[in-house]
Amino acid sequence: GLTIIDVGANRSQSIVSFKTILPDARILSYEANAFFGPVLSEVASWFENVAIFNVGLGRDDHRAMLHVPVVNGKYYWEEGSIRPDNFEKPWVIDRLASYGDKLIFEEYAVEIRRADGLLTNTVADIVKIDVEGAEMDVLMAMEDLVSLSRPIFMIENSDWENVTAWLNKREYICYQYLQEENLLVPLKEACTNSIYLPIDYSGSMAAIISR
């Protein structure tokens, strides 16, 4: 079966989606936010070949501070980020403002591990990244994985220009999935949800879309 690297597992949405479509896949899920630990462990118990790691992936081994927005007393755990500058982006400011008018941040220590160190000799078919602004921290530590595997990348982009430029240099092309048309189209402008395929990808487009 396929091997999927799930970086930023959050509440396990991706695990459930991948296992629904690709039940035989092996999934390695990484999530630094301890708040999601219990639900991830519970969901992993529903399936075979799902491993949960309570660490984030980045450029090196270190302890970081996770910044969690709290609006009008409500914690938005799923929007926590180890990158404070992520909260300075206009669309993030607007989104948080739409939740309410009293915004503070709580900080929690989390463990980050170097991606290539944890994934030594791992051959991956798909890498999903959803890390609220820390995309480049993850990608820049995946040189070995990219060279070895040439995986498909599915990225929720807060840093589209830098992510796309980095992957372009490694001969990847950016696509957007159009759900109504059930179609992948090349993408040349910023988009939150992006799919990156190796330029020499020889698999079935239909198979990718079905994912």
Side-chain angles (χ1 to χ4, degrees), residues 4-162:
I4 299 169
I5 308 298
D6 176 22
V7 187
N10 204 271
R11 298 178 186 272
S12 76
Q13 303 96 313
S14 293
I15 296 172
V16 174
S17 296
F18 281 127
K19 276 296 188 178
T20 299
I21 297 168
L22 301 165
D24 296 328
R26 177 174 70 131
I27 301 178
L28 308 178
S29 283
Y30 298 85
E31 176 55 59
N33 190 342
F35 177 81
F36 296 127
V39 68
L40 286 169
S41 296
E42 171 68 18
V43 171
S45 73
W46 302 345
F47 305 104
E48 294 183 353
N49 293 324
V50 175
I52 305 296
F53 301 91
N54 300 126
V55 297
L57 296 187
R59 302 187 201 187
D60 51 34
D61 294 349
H62 68 282
R63 176 167 283 200
M65 297 308 297
L66 179 73
H67 306 268
V68 178
V70 184
V71 184
N72 293 350
K74 180 178 179 179
Y75 286 71
Y76 287 84
W77 295 100
E78 65 279 2
E79 301 196 33
S81 177
I82 64 170
R83 295 294 301 265
D85 57 344
N86 186 61
F87 300 106
E88 298 172 5
K89 294 171 181 174
W91 62 90
V92 177
I93 292 172
D94 290 344
R95 185 172 68 240
L96 293 177
S98 74
Y99 300 158
D101 58 351
K102 295 180 181 178
L103 169 65
I104 63 170
F105 292 92
E106 296 280 358
E107 295 184 353
Y108 300 87
V110 297
E111 297 296 327
I112 307 296
R113 295 290 178 266
R114 178 173 171 79
D116 275 342
L118 282 183
L119 299 172
T120 300
N121 298 323
T122 299
V123 176
D125 298 282
I126 299 171
V127 176
K128 184 228 88 178
I129 301 174
D130 181 358
V131 289
E132 302 298 330
E135 295 86 0
M136 289 305 303
D137 293 327
V138 175
L139 282 173
M140 291 177 69
M142 284 191 166
E143 288 277 14
D144 293 347
L145 182 75
V146 171
S147 298
L148 177 66
S149 304
R150 305 293 289 163
I152 295 166
F153 281 94
M154 305 175 71
I155 301 177
E156 180 174 293
N157 258 323
S158 296
D159 193 7
W160 190 89
E161 289 80 6
N162 289 322

